[in-house]
Amino acid sequence: MHGLMMDSELLISTILRHADRNFGNQEIVSVTADNPLHRYTYQECFRRTRQLANALGKLGLMQGDRVATLAWNDYRHLEAYYAIGGSGYVCHTVNPRLFPEQVVFIINHAEDRWIFVDLLIVPLLEKIADQIPGVEGFVIMTDEKHMPETNLKNAVCYETLIGAESDAFDWPVFDERSASALCYTSGTTGDPKGVLYDHRSTILHAYAAVSPDVMNLSSIDCVLPVVPLFHVNAWGIPYAALMVGCKLVFPGPKMGDGETLYGLLEQENVSLALGVPTVWLALLQYADSAGKKLNKLQRTVIGGAAVPERMIRDFRDKHDVTVIQGWGMTEMSPLGTVSTPKFGMETLTPDEMIAVRAKAGRGIFGVEMRIVDDKGTEMPWDGVAYGSLQVRGPWICSDYFRLEGKSGSHTADGWFDTGDVAIIDEDGYMSITDRTKDVIKSGGEWISSIDIENTAMGHDAVAEAAVIGVAHPKWTERPLLIIIRAKGASLERDELLAWLEGKIAKWWIPDDVVFVDEIPHTATGKIKKIELRKQFADYELPS
Ligand code: AMP
């Protein structure tokens, strides 16, 4: 027997309608290429979004057609998100930091029909325009005054396009399982793979994101996503924040600029900011060198890579900011776990709490986790056993776009294999020890490169650390520690190795340390281990 509840489709346009009614005068502040500080209200945003939806309707697009964006975080990008997805098309966010050949692959693979492009990203598209023949036209996200000379075909100015349209638009109602957005993973090997979100998964994920145990969002919050709108929908913020009516602050192209971020956080009273560890390193370094304190920020969600304990301490001790570590993936919309405390933890000492926050966190409702060994046998949650991390739930991909049935990404019993290796403790808190491909195998045992990196980052003279396995005649592989020294610091190999003693297992102590000026990162801020392994392929460890 079915229940007697209304069958109302979970569509992202329902967020707009709710936010318009309830939070119409809430603010959205953006840095853009054509305006250092643009400011307007939700109501104006939604009016323009409806104008854009009318304009899109005249481009001859069919439901499910892909419309791409190559843009930084700002208000026009937000309007495009909702106008494209809300109309029944698929908003395909492309990461402009990828190699041009990857951008070409992604656009062609997705068969994008139109592209919305940020003023600053026009030159990238001009270089590859002849390799993306299926694209019918480009909308340049600026006003007439700032329109560049361009040879992109059918290039139209965003403001002119929407300016000609009515602001009356009835959001269509369709099946909530229709695709709403598309984002390709920036894998380090092979072609990028597309993750296709739907309206239902997006709304369910937003409900989870706002809940107290996850981001604890409400209309009194002011949120600054430093995580890009092209990286897993900025971790769902465009949907979650509007659902509850948060003020939004977008840093535009200034995402990596510590000074601009500091200014926005202070002037706009930002209570929650989100980003990967590397952007927070830039902000903390700026604050340190300028002798400034973060006075307004209350909490920050950090994920995308392991958060060094040192960073959690610095935020707490120097700025009185709580770090909430999160783990997730493009394939998971992205939220999987969050390191918020649970009952019984009120009595933990501040240092014990840091140890909790240094874990990737516990599974949120909607995400089931398990760790399995090589044979697929489930491992215990005892804080010791480690295994391949598998997940399932309503906002986790069932396959990759146009690779259905061919990707081999799921187990026979329907779990998604994350490619991460993890430990889960008795309280359900998970820690990532490595990517499967980055695991260091020494004498048949696994060494966690992430644990060594995080410990090394605790040394005052270390700015960044990376650990890779290097071939060893007796042990198969041994760890090599690669270090960027902190500005002006002096640190030598033996001093650092001696300092690590007692902090990690004796047999994990790296066999050698090399000091470098730069550690390569992927387009989404992760250490590029594959490149480091190539760079140090012939490295001879001291005997
Ligand atoms: P992406 O799909 O680009 O967001 O990357 C997802 C991957 O980032 C995960 O599979 C992990 O390997 C890594 N990752 C994300 N969050 C964390 C975290 N808190 N700790 C360690 N690794 C993480």
Side-chain angles (χ1 to χ4, degrees):
M1 182 169 68
H2 279 170
L4 289 170
M5 289 293 125
M6 285 188 191
D7 215 0
S8 105
E9 307 288 349
L10 300 176
L11 301 176
I12 63 166
S13 55
T14 61
I15 299 181
L16 276 197
R17 292 215 313 270
H18 174 75
D20 206 0
R21 237 318 123 96
N22 292 282
F23 316 111
N25 55 359
Q26 182 59 285
E27 269 189 315
I28 299 174
V29 178
S30 310
V31 176
T32 67
D34 57 23
N35 189 337
L37 207 62
H38 174 274
R39 195 180 285 276
Y40 71 170
T41 63
Y42 271 24
Q43 241 155 26
E44 283 172 82
C45 170
F46 304 152
R47 185 178 52 74
R48 286 163 52 88
T49 302
R50 293 191 298 270
Q51 288 179 294
L52 178 55
N54 277 320
L56 286 169
K58 293 185 181 154
L59 296 179
L61 300 166
M62 307 288 284
Q63 218 202 346
D65 278 352
R66 273 75 62 203
V67 177
T69 63
L70 274 114
W72 304 113
N73 288 8
D74 67 29
Y75 67 103
R76 291 191 186 104
H77 201 172
L78 181 73
E79 292 165 5
Y81 253 63
Y82 275 97
I84 298 168
S87 301
Y89 316 125
V90 177
C91 180
H92 174 205
T93 53
V94 183
N95 182 345
R97 293 187 184 134
L98 294 172
F99 290 120
E101 53 272 32
Q102 285 177 311
V103 175
V104 168
F105 172 87
I106 287 173
I107 292 171
N108 288 334
H109 189 266
E111 295 183 346
D112 294 327
R113 291 189 58 185
W114 275 77
I115 296 183
F116 281 72
V117 55
D118 194 285
L119 202 48
L120 299 174
I121 305 171
V122 170
L124 165 70
L125 279 185
E126 285 173 337
K127 276 194 206 111
I128 60 168
D130 60 341
Q131 298 168 66
I132 47 172
V135 177
E136 292 160 38
F138 299 84
V139 180
I140 303 187
M141 300 164 92
T142 190
D143 52 22
E144 281 296 343
K145 205 167 104 202
H146 295 88
M147 259 312 263
E149 287 274 325
T150 179
N151 53 15
L152 289 175
K153 72 178 171 198
N154 294 330
V156 292
C157 166
Y158 185 96
E159 293 299 330
T160 312
L161 180 76
I162 70 167
E165 298 298 333
S166 152
D167 63 3
F169 184 79
D170 274 336
W171 295 104
V173 175
F174 41 79
D175 179 358
E176 65 187 21
R177 290 175 196 270
S178 306
S180 59
L182 175 65
C183 183
Y184 280 70
T185 58
S186 47
T188 40
T189 49
D191 289 328
K193 294 199 282 279
V195 179
L196 192 59
Y197 310 102
D198 60 39
H199 287 257
R200 178 175 185 271
S201 68
T202 306
I203 299 275
L204 294 176
H205 182 266
Y207 271 127
V210 301
S211 64
D213 269 356
V214 183
M215 294 187 199
N216 192 17
L217 286 181
S218 79
S219 69
I220 56 171
D221 274 307
C222 173
V223 181
L224 187 151
V226 190
V227 53
L229 288 167
F230 54 75
H231 187 200
V232 214
N233 305 318
W235 299 348
I237 283 298
Y239 308 111
L242 265 60
M243 185 180 259
V244 294
C246 304
K247 174 177 170 184
L248 270 172
V249 181
F250 288 122
K254 300 282 191 175
M255 286 194 264
D257 175 352
E259 187 172 0
T260 304
L261 289 181
Y262 179 85
L264 288 172
L265 292 169
E266 290 293 298
Q267 286 148 30
E268 301 299 331
N269 273 320
V270 174
S271 55
L272 171 75
L274 307 95
V276 296
T278 37
V279 304
W280 298 130
L281 267 184
L283 177 75
L284 289 170
Q285 276 165 7
Y286 167 77
D288 266 354
S289 61
K292 289 181 171 163
K293 181 177 180 302
L294 293 162
N295 299 301
K296 309 288 173 55
L297 191 66
Q298 295 162 10
R299 55 200 199 280
T300 153
V301 174
I302 313 184
V307 185
E309 212 179 289
R310 171 77 181 269
M311 182 173 284
I312 305 173
R313 260 179 220 287
D314 276 0
F315 266 117
R316 185 195 64 181
D317 298 343
K318 296 182 181 168
H319 303 284
D320 209 10
V321 171
T322 302
V323 168
I324 303 166
Q325 175 159 190
W327 164 84
M329 305 182 73
T330 306
E331 290 87 338
M332 300 173 65
S333 300
L335 290 173
T337 63
V338 179
S339 71
T340 44
K342 67 180 200 187
F343 68 91
M345 291 185 168
E346 313 83 273
T347 53
L348 293 185
T349 64
D351 275 358
E352 287 168 336
M353 247 344 280
I354 293 263
V356 172
R357 296 196 180 279
K359 297 188 177 186
R362 59 197 164 99
I364 55 187
F365 176 72
V367 177
E368 277 182 273
M369 295 191 286
R370 69 179 185 189
I371 43 175
V372 301
D373 67 10
D374 289 347
K375 295 184 197 73
T377 310
E378 207 173 328
M379 310 292 285
W381 291 18
D382 60 5
V384 182
Y386 50 80
S388 299
L389 180 60
Q390 299 179 346
V391 289
R392 66 177 179 191
W395 57 78
I396 296 165
C397 72
S398 60
D399 215 325
Y400 292 100
F401 182 48
R402 302 178 71 193
L403 280 177
E404 291 88 327
K406 292 187 214 133
S407 67
S409 50
H410 289 67
T411 63
D413 58 348
W415 291 69
F416 172 68
D417 200 338
T418 64
D420 284 329
V421 179
I423 293 176
I424 307 179
D425 69 18
E426 290 92 341
D427 287 318
Y429 286 75
M430 184 272 285
S431 306
I432 301 283
T433 62
D434 261 308
R435 289 291 293 163
T436 318
K437 295 184 204 102
D438 297 335
V439 156
I440 302 169
K441 260 204 165 159
S442 176
E445 295 284 341
W446 284 6
I447 293 179
S448 163
S449 64
I450 293 182
D451 274 0
I452 307 176
E453 285 159 10
N454 281 349
T455 309
M457 295 270 283
H459 193 292
D460 280 344
V462 172
E464 198 173 1
V467 173
I468 54 166
V470 171
H472 188 281
K474 181 168 173 199
W475 301 110
T476 320
E477 273 188 328
R478 288 294 302 157
L480 171 69
L481 177 55
I482 300 159
I483 294 287
I484 301 181
R485 287 191 189 93
K487 241 192 202 150
S490 65
L491 176 70
E492 296 306 327
R493 169 190 189 275
D494 292 346
E495 187 188 344
L496 181 56
L497 292 180
W499 182 87
L500 286 173
E501 269 172 37
K503 296 186 176 71
I504 51 175
K506 204 166 174 6
W507 62 280
W508 284 21
I509 300 278
D511 282 31
D512 208 358
V513 183
V514 286
F515 293 92
V516 295
D517 294 330
E518 210 180 323
I519 289 176
H521 287 96
T522 65
T524 50
K526 296 179 218 313
I527 296 174
K528 255 192 197 162
K529 297 255 169 124
I530 200 163
E531 200 161 307
L532 285 176
R533 278 196 291 271
K534 264 189 224 151
Q535 206 176 320
F536 292 97
D538 302 324
Y539 193 80
E540 284 202 22
L541 294 166
S543 51

